[in-house]
Amino acid sequence: MSEKQQTPLGALVMAGQGQTEAERIADGIFMVKDISNAYLVTTGDGDLLVNTGFLGNGARNKGLFAAHRTGPLRRIIVTQAHADHYGALPDQKEDGTQVIVGAGFTETVDYFDRLAPFLGRRSGKLWASMTRRDGPPPKPPVIVPDVEVATTLAFEQGGRRFEVVKTPGGESLDSVFVWMPGEKTLFTGNLFGPVWRAMPNLVTMRGDKPRLVRAYLRSVEQVRALGAELVITGHGDPIRGAETIRADLDMMHAAGSYLERETIAGMNAGRTVQDLMREIALPADLKIGEFHGKTSWVVRAIWEENGGWFHYADGTTALYGVPRSAVSADLVELAGGAGAIVGRAHVHAAAGRPLEALHLLDIALGVTPDHEAGLTVRKAALEQLLAASGSTNLSETMWLKAEIAETDKRLASHAQKGEG
């Protein structure tokens, strides 16, 4: 995969670039592609939106929908409290528009606001290059919902029936889906992640409140019971056909159940979380995409959901606030200098053991951060991991690319100092 190519998830996230008109996906249902898609549903009594798109895209999305509007915008339903779903809401809301969200929306937004500096730094490292954004992320708009749905909200609008249903758990704790029972049409948003029939991301790299595996499985069961014939997600094309949808949901449920079962069995057998991350794999007939979540990450999430943050294998020091890096200088001195550790790291990298190399380089570069040979080996180890990943998982790919770019900067800075 070349530098300009993107992972399947990356391609979905950026699919709206260049879109010149809303896409009709069903009778009276239109899609505008965005970081997360926005959907217009027309009725005999005005219109309804399911999600609105990302910050800064409100005027664009409103313009793309304009040709298909039939009357006042009666309702906007937001499927989850992530800004890519509601960021464009203020530009599209009209006088009298009712804003409907899931219970916990306000609490989830408050969580992201309270941790904005922390989460912003982490998100920036992962996503700034993809969203072509310089500096801190834009501040999401303040949304005051009219209705927070705790169980189910059913209503009729212009001859079409809708049910907004609170889910046990999804990509955020306030997730809802929108069900049109008369048409067997379901809007899930990113309830199961940004890619359909793919591994959930139970703990994100940027940070978020944990998404519990049992809640995810109950949400799959809840959706599966509907018998939907059309599923419209947060990204990509709709999924069509009751048999296809049922088979996909069966696969997602079976894969999640397998990972929970195997992880708990391993915990009971005394295996460490690292053991299980390496050893547990889905059988061939249960393999689903790993574009956002990964098998090994789900295993770790399940381990820590059930076992907590303290791993006995980490020993006594994990109970206290002195990290292993506190003795890096001692290890470098005992090894005879950073060069000796870098040399051993090079051996590991050359033998195709990039993670072992990086463990050693964390020690050496923690003490001598501008060690040129160490930085060179670090870059090589990271590039090995990126090549081995196949650039399939977007979070993993963006992390590794960010680490490589950071290493390049440090090498360039070292070269400039040398020239000076």
Side-chain angles (χ1 to χ4, degrees):
M1 179 173 285
S2 71
E3 184 70 21
K4 291 185 178 180
Q5 289 178 308
Q6 295 179 333
T7 65
L9 175 53
L12 288 177
V13 167
M14 307 308 290
Q17 292 186 347
Q19 186 177 11
T20 58
E21 60 183 29
E23 179 180 340
R24 181 185 181 279
I25 55 177
D27 183 27
I29 301 177
F30 301 88
M31 172 174 65
V32 165
K33 296 176 180 178
D34 202 337
I35 302 296
S36 283
N37 296 342
Y39 298 97
L40 171 71
V41 183
T42 61
T43 81
D45 180 27
D47 301 331
L48 176 151
L49 284 180
V50 179
N51 295 327
T52 66
F54 194 49
L55 291 79
N57 292 343
R60 173 243 186 205
N61 295 350
K62 184 176 181 178
L64 291 175
F65 282 136
H68 307 286
R69 292 292 305 277
T70 63
L73 184 63
R74 301 295 188 192
R75 294 174 172 88
I76 296 175
I77 303 170
V78 179
T79 60
Q80 66 189 78
H82 287 172
D84 52 329
H85 295 262
Y86 72 84
L89 189 150
D91 289 328
Q92 297 180 79
K93 185 177 185 291
E94 301 172 359
D95 289 342
T97 301
Q98 184 182 56
V99 177
I100 301 170
V101 302
F105 178 92
T106 302
E107 179 184 352
T108 303
V109 169
D110 180 64
Y111 161 79
F112 282 110
D113 185 56
R114 284 185 290 113
L115 273 77
F118 171 79
L119 296 172
R121 288 191 300 271
R122 295 161 71 97
S123 294
K125 178 167 183 172
L126 289 169
W127 311 120
S129 63
M130 172 164 286
T131 56
R132 295 172 173 80
R133 185 179 67 225
D134 295 322
K139 188 173 178 61
V142 175
I143 303 300
V144 180
D146 297 295
V147 180
E148 292 200 17
V149 179
T151 53
T152 301
L153 173 68
F155 60 90
E156 185 272 341
Q157 180 177 323
R160 306 186 93 160
R161 289 195 297 136
F162 299 87
E163 295 177 8
V164 182
V165 181
K166 181 71 179 66
T167 69
E171 275 218 346
S172 68
L173 301 182
D174 64 299
S175 292
V176 296
F177 61 72
V178 183
W179 173 232
M180 299 176 68
E183 300 163 58
K184 296 290 186 180
T185 295
L186 176 69
F187 296 85
T188 62
N190 283 6
L191 173 61
F192 302 127
V195 183
W196 178 256
R197 210 184 78 153
M199 191 71 64
N201 204 11
L202 298 180
V203 178
T204 69
M205 290 172 64
R206 69 150 193 275
D208 202 342
K209 291 190 174 181
R211 306 155 182 180
L212 307 182
V213 66
R214 286 289 177 95
Y216 163 80
L217 293 173
R218 288 198 300 272
S219 294
V220 175
E221 293 162 6
Q222 188 181 42
V223 167
R224 187 170 57 183
L226 297 173
E229 295 176 2
L230 177 66
V231 171
I232 302 168
T233 70
H235 299 87
D237 295 327
I239 300 89
R240 301 179 187 273
E243 289 186 10
T244 296
I245 292 165
R246 173 70 190 218
D248 287 349
L249 291 166
D250 285 347
M251 180 79 80
M252 292 155 61
H253 193 279
S257 298
Y258 178 89
L259 294 180
E260 183 191 35
R261 185 168 59 250
E262 291 299 305
T263 301
I264 289 176
M267 294 171 72
N268 287 332
R271 307 294 287 162
T272 69
V273 67
Q274 289 84 4
D275 290 336
L276 299 180
M277 289 174 72
R278 292 192 310 272
E279 295 167 4
I280 294 177
L282 286 171
D285 61 346
L286 292 183
K287 285 190 180 296
I288 54 179
E290 299 196 12
F291 309 114
H292 193 38
K294 288 188 66 174
T295 294
S296 58
W297 301 350
V298 169
V299 167
R300 180 162 195 149
I302 293 169
W303 204 108
E304 295 189 351
E305 174 188 335
N306 289 279
W309 60 265
F310 181 52
H311 301 264
Y312 279 27
D314 293 339
T316 301
T317 57
L319 294 172
Y320 301 93
V322 178
R324 196 275 314 143
S325 59
V327 298
S328 289
D330 299 281
L331 295 173
V332 168
E333 181 182 351
L334 290 168
I341 296 177
V342 168
R344 183 58 61 88
H346 174 74
V347 171
H348 281 300
R353 297 187 294 269
L355 291 170
E356 287 83 347
L358 289 171
H359 277 306
L360 290 173
L361 292 168
D362 285 345
I363 296 170
L365 294 172
V367 177
T368 312
D370 62 348
H371 194 288
E372 183 177 12
L375 291 169
T376 301
V377 177
R378 184 178 192 265
K379 181 179 178 181
L382 291 166
E383 288 175 336
Q384 283 185 38
L385 290 173
L386 181 60
S389 75
S391 295
T392 299
N393 183 279
L394 185 58
S395 292
E396 180 184 26
T397 299
M398 299 307 288
W399 172 266
L400 292 172
K401 286 184 175 181
E403 288 284 275
I404 291 167
E406 179 186 320
T407 305
D408 279 332
K409 282 185 181 179
R410 291 165 66 181
L411 281 166
S413 175
H414 176 76
Q416 287 176 352
K417 289 178 183 177
E419 291 172 2

